Structures are given as structure tokens and as C-alpha cells.
Amino acid sequence: MTRRDLYRLGSRVLGGAIKLAVAVPALAFLVSPLRKKVAGQGGASDSGGSMETLTSLSQLKVGVPRSFPVIRDRNDAWVTYPSEPVGSVWLIRQPEGAKPEVIAYSAECPHLGCAINLTTDAREFLCPCHTSAFDFEGKPKNQVPPRPMDRLDVELTAETDPKVRVRFQKFRTLAEEKIPLA
């Protein structure tokens, strides 16, 4: 082996080592979301599978809607975001003896997804974007929204002052049926 062949071989080995030093971490970075999903750590954490504790039953007045933000940690493929509002929910406590005791509606308009608020006289819900209006049973009061307000699952804990837990979900807008988003 000549000195020239030795340099040539050394250059190839050094070049291969540099390529591996760059390729292995890059490949691990690209594959890491797949490993997290397999381990149950990744994916869309705000897909609506878990119940959120929003308040206690004693904090709600009968027949008076009250809005609560839903705050969650979010994860996408590579980034974990700190706790931030992902939506809000309207809760209405029902009169004594009524079932269910609390009704929850998504505060996202089924028309185009704008935030639903109360009117100034607090007698109905109103979406300010395109004037969709709803009564306190979630029924539309005009032809703008394609369906009633999206009702959410509610659960009360078994305590003396039960906690109100809601399964927060988002639904497809502009659809006549309530279609959950993944």
C-alpha cells in the first residue's frame, strides 16, 4: 500500500464517520414522534378523550350560563406547548331534581367556529361573527347555524360539593351533524 492509498482510505473512513455523526441524530429526530406514539406519550392530546374538571356545582347558579376556559398542555409531533386555553365551555345548572343537573355546551359556533357569547341582556347565546343565535337549550333561533350548539358530556363527582367534569371536544363546523374532530 502506497502512502497515497493510505491517505485515500483514511479520507473515506473519516468522511464516512462524519456522515454517520450527522445522519444518526437526524434520523433519531425524525423518528422520535413515532416512538412517542408507540409509548403512549405523543399524538393529539387535545383530541377530547379525557374529562376536564371546570368548577364545583355550588359555583353555578340555576339557569344562569357561565363560561369556563379549558386549559391543557398540547403536544404535536416534536413540540410540547405549556398549558394554554384550547377552548371554552358554557355550563348551565338545571333546577333541583332535573336530569342532568348540569348541561355543557361548546362555546364554539357550529357555523364557522367563532366564540359564542351571551347577548347584552343575557337571555340567549349569540355568535358575533354572523349573528348565529341560540336559546339556553342550544337550539338555533335563526337560519345561520347548521345545527344546535354542540352539547358535551358532563359528569359530577361523588362529593358533598360535586366537581363538574366535562369531556371537551371540538366538532366540524358547517356540518349539519355533530362530527368530532380527531
Side-chain angles (χ1 to χ4, degrees):
M1 176 181 281
T2 65
R3 186 169 28 169
R4 182 171 290 201
D5 291 339
L6 182 63
Y7 286 146
R8 200 174 285 148
L9 179 64
S11 297
R12 287 185 181 157
V13 169
L14 184 61
I18 291 172
K19 289 175 185 173
L20 278 176
V22 172
V24 169
L27 187 62
F29 175 75
L30 292 174
V31 175
S32 67
L34 297 174
R35 292 186 319 185
K36 286 181 183 177
K37 286 182 182 177
V38 169
Q41 299 172 352
S45 64
D46 57 15
S47 61
S50 63
M51 300 292 277
E52 305 283 336
T53 301
L54 298 180
T55 187
S56 61
L57 189 60
S58 64
Q59 299 296 313
L60 299 173
K61 294 180 182 174
V62 175
V64 178
R66 189 165 164 205
S67 177
F68 292 90
V70 176
I71 298 172
R72 289 184 176 166
D73 291 332
R74 289 186 314 121
N75 298 322
D76 67 9
W78 290 278
V79 180
T80 299
Y81 299 95
S83 295
E84 62 183 9
V86 294
S88 61
V89 172
W90 284 101
L91 296 178
I92 304 175
R93 184 174 179 175
Q94 300 300 300
E96 191 89 15
K99 291 290 179 185
E101 291 183 63
V102 176
I103 296 176
Y105 296 107
S106 172
E108 188 172 279
C109 182
H111 179 229
L112 290 177
C114 297
I116 296 174
N117 297 312
L118 286 175
T119 57
T120 54
D121 62 358
R123 292 179 178 250
E124 63 185 18
F125 293 112
L126 177 72
C127 176
C129 293
H130 299 98
T131 64
S132 298
F134 305 91
D135 62 15
F136 286 167
E137 294 178 1
K139 295 178 187 168
K141 295 187 83 174
N142 57 28
Q143 299 296 319
V144 176
R147 64 177 185 267
M149 289 176 70
D150 297 320
R151 196 164 166 169
L152 303 172
D153 295 335
V154 178
E155 166 184 292
L156 298 178
T157 60
E159 300 172 21
T160 53
D161 185 16
K163 303 281 186 224
V164 179
R165 298 170 47 87
V166 174
R167 185 180 317 278
F168 179 72
Q169 286 183 286
K170 291 187 174 189
F171 299 92
R172 183 177 294 170
T173 58
L174 285 177
E176 292 184 11
E177 298 173 12
K178 198 168 114 176
I179 303 170
L181 297 176

